[in-house]
Amino acid sequence: MWSGKRRRDQRTPASSATAATGKIPCVIERGPTTVFASATETHDYFTTEGIRGSVRRVPRARTSTSCVLLVPMWSGQSPHVGSYGIVASVAQEWHARTVSEALEALNSRASGLSENEARRLLATHGPNRLEAKRKTPAIVLFLRQFLNPLIYVLLAAAIISVALAHYLDAAVILAVLVLNAVIGFIQEQQAARAMEALVKMTAPRAQVRRDATVMTIPVEEIVPGDVILLESGNRVPADARVIEEANLKVIEASLTGESTSVDKEVAPLPEDTPVAERNNMVFMGTNVTHGRAAAVVVSTGMNTAIGGIATALQQLVDEATPVEKSMRKLSHYTVFLVLGIVGILAGVGIYRGMSPLEVIFLAVAAAVSAIPEGLPAVVTVVLALGMRLMAKRNAIIRRLVAVETLGSATVICTDKTGTLTMNEMTVRRIYVDGRFVHVTGEGYSPEGEFLSDSAAIASDEGTTLGLLLRTGALCNEASLVKRGESYEIVGDPTEASLVVAAAKAGIDKERLQHRLRRTCEIPFESEQQYMAVGYAEETLARVYVKGSVEQLLTFCDKVLHDGHSTPLDDAAKGAILEATEALAAGALRVIALGYADFPASPDKLKCNHFAGNLTFLGLAGMADPPREEARLAIKQCHDAGIRVIMITGDHRATAEAIAFQLDLPKGRTIEGSELEKIGDEDLAKEIEGVTVFARIEPLHKLRIVNALKSKGHVVAMTGDGVNDAPALKSANIGIAMGITGTDVAKESADMVLADDNFASIVAAVEEGRAIFSRLRSVVFFLLSTNLGELIALILAVAVLGKAPLLAVQIIWVNLVTDTTTAIPLGLEPKSGDELAQPPRHPRVGLLYPGNVMRIVFLAALMGVGVFLIFDWAQDHMSMEEARTLAFCTMVTFELVRAFNARSDERTLLSLGLFTNKILLASIAAAVLLQLAVIYLPAGQRAFQTVPLSLERWGIALAAGGALFMVEELRKLVAPRLFSLGKWQPTRAKASRKTR
């Protein structure tokens, strides 16, 4: 066995641990706890001593690269996922090897594996994924359908029927139970498949080098030896040895429990370096918070350090959504209600002289009629299928709760670039040498001219314009690729526009970079608002910098004008700021560029190397046209009572110009610098009048969300960067960008936009409202069905001392109506007026006062109708025929009411009879099943029915038609009669209760 000792607030040096035990130590850190374990390679398990709480014994991983121990935190609570640390063995000391040694051991190269090598390794090592949560076996799913209080009651009824020699009744009850279980099983399978499809759509991807080119592949296809490329916001896809890095910082809380970022490096480390200090390694599941890197993969899947907690992850229980929880709660309340009603009915039945057997089956009938047994399953299926419909409109739901919350959204805070605009940048104007230069050309074609006063000007390297274009090309991660006769970009469109502009001047970025040696860099981060790259040139080292105007001006002390460097005085700064305003007023995104020369390149570039020593070159103004569909979507938001706020890092004038082009409502603009001076209380007071936030940093978004929520708003917030995660989590609906979004942003969000388009957010709101409306229709239909049957039973027993329907007949009614119409109602097409309705208050659920009144109204009509027909029929025909007529009347009520349930305000004619073809087909199937029960001998014996004449059918159909017309006329005369509390609570408080 391996053993470990607990120490508080101190760390035993790894070297001393080695000296003491003669074995290689492993280390785990969790909060104030450091645990060391010495290791031999001959044991499969290890334990720790002296650690409070139970410690799981975990098998070693399948290879010798790693093994793990899950250790509970100091809280003393039971172990749970998220409170475990990891001890990893060090059988292969990748951190102690040089880059070349690591690549050689993995048969890889800095340029990456070939596609053939990767395919072979994938076949050998298998997919790069943790063992998924085990699927519930099909037989278990099927048997789970019987775990329901209603089923227990029916099983008891079947047993009693057998005991009393009523074998046919018992057989019918059991057959219906099995059929109901089969249908429930199929529904769960459908929901599971829908969810699996959504999971595949959000499967993570990673950038790798293969065949000396950069490509994006699914994370599952990564193999040992792959060279992965990491940047800020990425989740590390596998355990890897860093081979190149630029200011790389990684949060490794999932392994060590430390919430601070760890600086990474390339140099090899001593063999006895603890896992928590292996700063040349990156581990699967950790998050990159800053910088860039290339790393060669050493372990994948279950062989990674985090692979050992996969077993614990499999024990997570899926969290139910609020709607599902409310449905379960409703079912539980109904059970208690049923017990009371059953007791009352049994007492009335005995008082009316009914036999004990009749009383028993009356109680069973009451239980069957009152419990909405199919409701939870139907709700789950409708939600899952609705999410699939939303995915088709580019809104991928990661958490079911978002479907419910979308209908309540009152504010959408959206980024500008790529969401409200096309994100197809083109440099249109340049400010250099104190004048504006117009850049011609369209798209990404490197063809165009540089014009000043309509005349072409020089753009070679000896000019300020040429140096500005060179800076834009070299301080850049994007590239321009020719495919056939057209050109495509790889990378960020803003950076790509600078590469294209340089290419128009004959500056080839790729050739230039091959000629020069890149020595250092500071990658772009949204909170720092600049990027810097150093190159070793012929006689000196030069750092090229680009970023926001405000940021670069703080770095500059000189300005280049017509090839001469002059001090950057107040007059020069004023001219630059005026030029910035002029460019921004034309809805152009403005980037400033500068450079600094050094005798030698610094080993690790820092801001203080060039701060106060930068030479300002000029400004580049990029056009990013607004999306046409975004303008329409903003109008739809206005009609839907949803406020749209633009949040951007761009210049104030640029943001305001784009807001004007998009027809955003007029309002104030607040800049990030102004926001920092405003307290939270003052921001909450002023935020109602703000339409645009400009020059905003990611962490400002969190304050904006909190201010809006404090005013009672339900907030949807978009984001794409790693630092957007707090705002996305705090918002009622966090929305991540699918194209430009980082892994961290996507994992923090409730919804991911596959196309980064604002119109897709509005489409998701529309779909979310439609889904909630469908769920309301389903709830109304099922609850009114059950209540109507119960009213008919209560009236008949109390007045006549007889039940109008037998238990098996009620089971059949519920089975036919629940399974043939509830799901089709949940697939009702959108009415088209979803965005014309106001937002729904978060405290308004599926059941609201108006809906309850409508349920009672129609259930009473149904119950009274069945009772009156049964009362008349028992005096004019046999009891079997009377019950058959009451049975057919109830089924007719259910089927015609399915049409009523499609909308609470619009008539069937306005909706269109054939718009829900699935519902029509299901009703046709239900009619055929009912006819089989009435006219086939087997059905007659099982359900104790007799054939009905056309005259008798006329009574049932007339009753159903009357019910249908009453509700349709109500919609014509008073469409909002039952709208009380539909959107707002009947006793709304001053402030809304939000999530």
Side-chain angles (χ1 to χ4, degrees):
M1 286 295 210
W2 297 352
S3 62
K5 294 182 180 179
R6 182 187 72 199
R7 305 202 175 197
R8 289 178 182 254
D9 299 323
Q10 76 178 67
R11 177 182 294 171
T12 303
S15 57
S16 63
T18 305
T21 63
K23 302 171 183 177
I24 300 173
C26 302
V27 65
I28 172 174
E29 293 184 79
R30 194 69 187 179
T33 307
T34 301
V35 180
F36 284 88
S38 59
T40 67
E41 298 192 11
T42 58
H43 297 99
D44 290 332
Y45 298 94
F46 53 92
T47 61
T48 60
E49 298 173 357
I51 296 180
R52 189 189 320 170
S54 63
V55 177
R56 295 174 184 252
R57 302 176 69 196
V58 182
R60 288 184 64 160
R62 287 190 287 267
T63 72
S64 59
T65 56
S66 65
C67 62
V68 299
L69 169 65
L70 303 184
V71 181
M73 293 176 66
W74 275 101
S75 63
Q77 299 174 348
S78 298
H80 60 277
V81 174
S83 66
Y84 296 108
I86 293 179
V87 179
S89 74
V90 285
Q92 293 214 37
E93 306 291 354
W94 295 107
H95 63 281
R97 303 187 182 199
T98 64
V99 169
S100 58
E101 288 172 345
L103 290 170
E104 183 179 355
L106 291 160
N107 293 317
S108 186
R109 301 161 293 282
S111 58
L113 300 169
S114 69
E115 276 295 317
N116 289 334
E117 288 172 325
R119 276 194 294 269
R120 177 176 54 78
L121 288 167
L122 185 61
T124 302
H125 293 273
N128 174 39
R129 60 172 178 242
L130 301 180
E131 288 182 3
K133 183 179 178 180
R134 291 186 184 93
K135 289 185 178 180
T136 305
I139 185 64
V140 175
L141 271 181
F142 177 73
L143 293 176
R144 200 164 63 189
Q145 308 306 315
F146 295 94
L147 300 178
N148 186 302
L150 170 67
I151 304 302
Y152 305 151
V153 173
L154 294 180
L155 285 173
I159 293 170
I160 292 171
S161 297
V162 171
L164 298 174
H166 287 251
Y167 301 115
L168 186 58
D169 287 343
V172 170
I173 292 173
L174 292 175
V176 169
L177 286 178
V178 171
L179 182 57
N180 190 61
V182 169
I183 292 168
F185 170 74
I186 293 171
Q187 288 176 348
E188 280 206 38
Q189 290 285 71
Q190 283 182 329
R193 281 195 292 268
M195 293 301 296
E196 285 173 7
L198 291 176
V199 169
K200 288 180 181 178
M201 293 182 72
T202 56
R205 301 176 71 83
Q207 282 195 325
V208 299
R209 289 179 189 156
R210 284 191 183 169
D211 291 321
T213 61
V214 176
M215 59 180 64
T216 302
I217 64 171
V219 164
E220 287 193 356
E221 295 179 10
I222 290 175
V223 296
D226 259 327
V227 175
I228 55 174
L229 303 181
L230 303 171
E231 60 184 15
S232 178
N234 285 165
R235 172 153 286 195
V236 179
D239 288 3
R241 168 70 162 87
V242 178
I243 61 174
E244 302 168 16
E245 66 88 23
N247 296 324
L248 184 69
K249 295 178 184 289
V250 180
I251 286 184
E252 297 180 337
S254 58
L255 290 180
T256 66
E258 299 293 336
S259 59
T260 55
S261 296
V262 178
D263 289 305
K264 294 296 181 178
E265 57 185 299
V266 174
L269 299 169
E271 287 189 6
D272 59 357
T273 304
V275 173
E277 296 177 9
R278 293 180 186 175
N279 295 338
N280 58 7
M281 298 288 296
V282 289
F283 299 99
M284 185 182 194
T286 58
N287 296 319
V288 179
T289 60
H290 191 277
R292 295 188 310 106
V296 60
V297 174
V298 300
S299 300
T300 59
M302 295 300 290
N303 295 326
T304 60
I306 204 169
I309 65 171
T311 303
L313 291 174
Q314 290 171 12
Q315 297 170 0
L316 285 171
V317 178
D318 293 331
E319 179 71 14
T321 70
V323 163
E324 291 173 325
K325 289 177 181 177
S326 65
M327 288 301 97
R328 291 175 187 172
K329 191 178 294 184
L330 176 63
S331 294
H332 292 152
Y333 289 154
T334 306
V335 168
F336 292 111
L337 178 65
V338 167
L339 292 175
I341 293 173
V342 166
I344 294 171
L345 272 176
V348 172
I350 293 171
Y351 175 76
R352 297 289 306 200
M354 297 174 69
S355 69
L357 183 60
E358 286 180 313
V359 170
I360 290 172
F361 278 100
L362 174 64
V364 171
V368 172
S369 63
I371 299 178
E373 67 274 12
L375 190 53
V378 170
V379 167
T380 302
V381 172
V382 170
L383 281 173
L385 296 180
M387 289 168 62
R388 194 159 62 182
L389 289 174
M390 295 176 78
K392 290 181 179 178
R393 301 190 69 177
N394 296 312
I396 302 169
I397 300 297
R398 296 188 69 252
R399 298 181 180 92
L400 272 172
V401 68
V403 178
E404 304 162 36
T405 314
L406 278 166
S408 302
T410 59
V411 178
I412 299 176
C413 297
T414 175
D415 294 321
K416 176 184 73 69
T417 304
T419 308
L420 293 172
T421 62
M422 298 290 291
N423 204 19
E424 294 177 358
M425 299 285 188
T426 307
V427 175
R428 292 295 184 195
R429 299 181 74 191
I430 293 174
Y431 177 75
V432 65
D433 291 335
R435 60 180 174 177
F436 289 103
V437 176
H438 178 67
V439 185
T440 65
E442 297 295 332
Y444 298 124
S445 174
E447 297 175 0
E449 294 182 297
F450 300 89
L451 307 176
S452 178
D453 296 328
S454 301
I457 61 172
S459 56
D460 54 46
E461 291 193 19
T463 64
T464 308
L465 175 59
L467 184 53
L468 180 145
L469 294 171
R470 175 189 175 100
T471 300
L474 290 175
C475 186
N476 206 307
E477 296 298 337
S479 56
L480 184 65
V481 181
K482 186 174 184 180
R483 301 193 189 280
E485 297 299 318
S486 62
Y487 289 85
E488 296 178 5
I489 63 165
V490 177
D492 179 71
T494 300
E495 292 197 312
S497 68
L498 293 171
V499 176
V500 173
K504 291 176 181 178
I507 300 173
D508 188 317
K509 178 198 170 186
E510 302 302 324
R511 289 182 182 174
L512 198 56
Q513 284 188 323
H514 277 282
R515 183 162 57 88
L516 303 175
R517 183 170 62 88
R518 191 169 183 165
T519 57
C520 54
E521 69 176 287
I522 299 177
F524 177 82
E525 299 290 344
S526 52
E527 67 270 16
Q528 68 190 25
Q529 296 187 348
Y530 71 90
M531 174 184 180
V533 180
Y535 287 88
E537 305 209 4
E538 286 81 357
T539 58
L540 49 78
R542 176 169 285 177
V543 173
Y544 298 96
V545 185
K546 75 173 190 296
S548 70
V549 179
E550 295 84 351
Q551 189 64 63
L552 254 73
L553 285 178
T554 64
F555 295 153
C556 295
D557 66 339
K558 299 177 287 295
V559 58
L560 197 66
H561 193 286
D562 290 329
H564 300 288
S565 178
T566 59
L568 183 65
D569 54 22
D570 290 341
K573 281 187 180 179
I576 291 168
L577 292 175
E578 267 187 47
T580 302
E581 290 290 337
L583 291 171
L588 299 180
R589 188 174 199 181
V590 185
I591 299 290
L593 301 101
Y595 75 98
D597 290 334
F598 299 92
S601 180
D603 292 332
K604 199 157 189 174
L605 188 61
K606 300 289 184 184
C607 173
N608 57 17
H609 285 127
F610 52 81
N613 190 35
L614 207 65
T615 300
F616 186 86
L617 290 171
L619 308 171
M622 305 157 186
D624 183 16
R627 294 179 183 266
E628 281 300 320
E629 62 270 29
R631 184 182 287 107
L632 173 62
I634 288 171
K635 181 181 183 303
Q636 290 175 322
C637 284
H638 182 268
D639 294 340
I642 301 172
R643 183 174 154 211
V644 179
I645 297 177
M646 179 197 294
I647 300 178
T648 178
D650 275 351
H651 191 276
R652 179 190 192 119
T654 304
E656 288 177 341
I658 294 293
F660 177 77
Q661 293 178 11
L662 289 169
D663 295 328
L664 272 173
K666 292 183 179 179
R668 280 189 62 195
T669 298
I670 291 182
E671 293 188 81
S673 56
E674 183 182 352
L675 184 64
E676 290 178 354
K677 298 174 184 176
I678 302 175
D680 290 341
E681 290 185 8
D682 291 334
L683 178 60
K685 292 177 184 177
E686 296 183 26
I687 202 162
E688 294 289 2
V690 179
T691 300
V692 175
F693 286 93
R695 284 293 188 233
I696 291 298
E697 296 179 11
L699 294 180
H700 290 155
K701 288 185 174 182
L702 181 60
R703 291 192 62 204
I704 295 169
V705 168
N706 291 336
L708 288 166
K709 288 174 70 175
S710 72
K711 302 298 288 184
H713 287 290
V714 178
V715 185
M717 169 67 78
T718 68
D720 54 11
V722 61
N723 290 322
D724 288 333
L728 293 176
K729 286 183 178 179
S730 179
N732 301 95
I733 312 158
I735 304 172
M737 301 296 108
I739 299 173
T740 60
T742 61
D743 296 337
V744 174
K746 291 175 186 176
E747 290 168 9
S748 301
D750 303 297
M751 184 172 83
V752 176
L753 293 185
D755 60 353
D756 290 10
N757 193 336
F758 179 79
S760 295
I761 302 176
V762 181
V765 171
E766 183 182 25
E767 288 291 348
R769 289 186 176 188
I771 290 169
F772 206 84
S773 177
R774 293 175 191 130
L775 288 174
R776 280 179 164 176
S777 296
V778 169
V779 169
F780 159 76
F781 179 76
L782 293 179
L783 293 186
S784 56
T785 295
N786 296 115
L787 185 58
E789 293 165 355
L790 201 57
I791 290 173
L793 272 178
I794 292 171
L795 287 174
V797 171
V799 177
L800 305 175
K802 300 171 185 175
L805 300 170
L806 299 175
V808 290
Q809 292 172 344
I810 293 177
I811 294 171
W812 178 257
V813 171
N814 284 359
L815 179 71
V816 170
T817 57
D818 288 3
T819 57
T820 59
T821 54
I823 295 294
L825 276 175
L827 299 176
E828 176 72 17
K830 294 192 300 293
S831 62
D833 63 353
E834 284 80 10
L835 293 178
Q837 304 289 354
R840 175 180 51 80
H841 193 285
R843 287 194 285 117
V844 175
L846 296 175
L847 279 176
Y848 54 92
N851 200 10
V852 172
M853 288 189 289
R854 185 175 177 228
I855 288 170
V856 173
F857 171 66
L858 285 177
L861 290 179
M862 290 167 51
V864 172
V866 170
F867 164 71
L868 291 176
I869 289 174
F870 177 67
D871 184 27
W872 171 84
Q874 69 168 346
D875 295 330
H876 294 81
M877 58 193 78
S878 68
M879 183 57 67
E880 276 193 338
E881 190 174 3
R883 280 190 171 134
T884 301
L885 179 56
F887 180 31
C888 292
T889 301
M890 181 59 78
V891 170
T892 304
F893 278 155
E894 304 302 342
L895 298 182
V896 299
R897 207 170 39 78
F899 292 112
N900 293 141
R902 291 178 61 186
S903 172
D904 64 329
E905 295 182 11
R906 296 180 61 182
T907 64
L908 180 62
L909 289 177
S910 65
L911 290 171
L913 177 62
F914 299 101
T915 51
N916 192 339
K917 295 182 176 63
I918 299 175
L919 180 62
L920 289 175
S922 67
I923 290 175
V927 169
L928 292 176
L929 289 170
Q930 184 66 17
L931 292 176
V933 165
I934 301 300
Y935 293 105
L936 293 181
Q940 293 170 0
R941 287 193 301 272
F943 294 93
Q944 300 181 36
T945 60
V946 296
L948 293 181
S949 65
L950 287 177
E951 181 184 356
R952 303 298 190 226
W953 270 112
I955 295 171
L957 293 174
L963 179 72
F964 173 78
M965 290 307 299
V966 166
E967 176 64 353
E968 292 298 288
L969 287 173
R970 192 276 305 169
K971 293 178 185 178
L972 280 174
V973 176
R976 301 203 172 180
L977 178 64
F978 297 123
S979 295
L980 179 66
K982 186 176 181 179
W983 310 114
Q984 294 291 323
T986 51
R987 294 183 180 179
K989 295 181 179 179
S991 63
R992 297 181 178 183
K993 179 183 177 182
T994 55
R995 188 177 62 175

